[in-house]
């Protein structure tokens, strides 16, 4: 498990982690809780997810990624074949971010768990997510 020792790595730090993740062949869990990576940092992490073949757990809770960051993560999920657990707790993704993630969840059959609590989700966003994972046995959904 790798966790940055700094208080907040921010967008720039997330962009630097991207390079390491793209070449990573052993790290399976990345916890970036409360590092203020925002949408730009989430986009960098998402780019790394596209080429990473071993990361199975990603925790980016409390990072203010917003809808834009959620959309970047969603795009990466559509082609990622190894990530099993994604924690996006408290990132203000709203219904737009949730709908983007729902589209990804319809095609990504590897992800087994997602936490979307405290994200300002309305009925539309929650409904899209529920519809996307309905029928997936054992899928853990927290909203």
């Amino acid at each position: 498990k790798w966790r940055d020792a700094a208080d907040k790595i921010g967008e720039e730090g997330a962009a630097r982690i991207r390079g390491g993740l793209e070449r990573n062949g052993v790290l399976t869990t990345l916890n970036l809780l409360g590092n203020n990576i925002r949408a730009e940092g989430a986009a960098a992490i998402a780019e790394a997810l596209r080429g990473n073949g071993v990361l199975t757990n990603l925790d980016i809770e409390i990072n203010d990624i917003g809808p834009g960051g959620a959309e970047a993560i969603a795009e990466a999920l559509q082609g990622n074949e190894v990530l099993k657990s994604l924690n996006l707790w408290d990132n203000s993704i709203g219904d737009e971010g949730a709908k983007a993630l729902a589209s990804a969840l319809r095609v990504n059959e590897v992800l087994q768990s997602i936490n979307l609590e405290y994200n300002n989700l309305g009925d539309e966003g929650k409904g899209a997510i529920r519809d996307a994972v309905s029928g997936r046995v054992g899928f853990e959904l927290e909203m």
Side-chain angles (χ1 to χ4, degrees), residues 74 76-84 103-112 132 136 139:
L77 283 177
Q78 291 185 18
N80 183 283
E81 298 176 354
V82 294
L83 192 69
K84 294 180 180 178
S103 292
L105 289 170
R106 285 187 192 93
V107 297
N108 179 308
E109 296 177 0
V110 177
L111 197 71
Q112 300 168 352
R136 287 178 66 170
F139 192 89

Side-chain angles (χ1 to χ4, degrees), residues 71-92:
E71 290 168 3
I73 296 289
E75 286 180 31
L77 283 177
Q78 291 185 18
N80 183 283
E81 298 176 354
V82 294
L83 192 69
K84 294 180 180 178
S85 176
L86 177 60
N87 187 349
L88 295 175
W89 190 86
D90 196 11
N91 271 294
S92 303

Side-chain angles (χ1 to χ4, degrees), residues 23-43:
R23 294 183 300 277
N24 168 52
V26 294
L27 180 72
T28 59
T29 297
L30 179 62
N31 185 338
L32 295 174
L33 170 120
N35 273 289
N36 204 30
I37 66 170
R38 301 180 192 239
E40 186 177 321

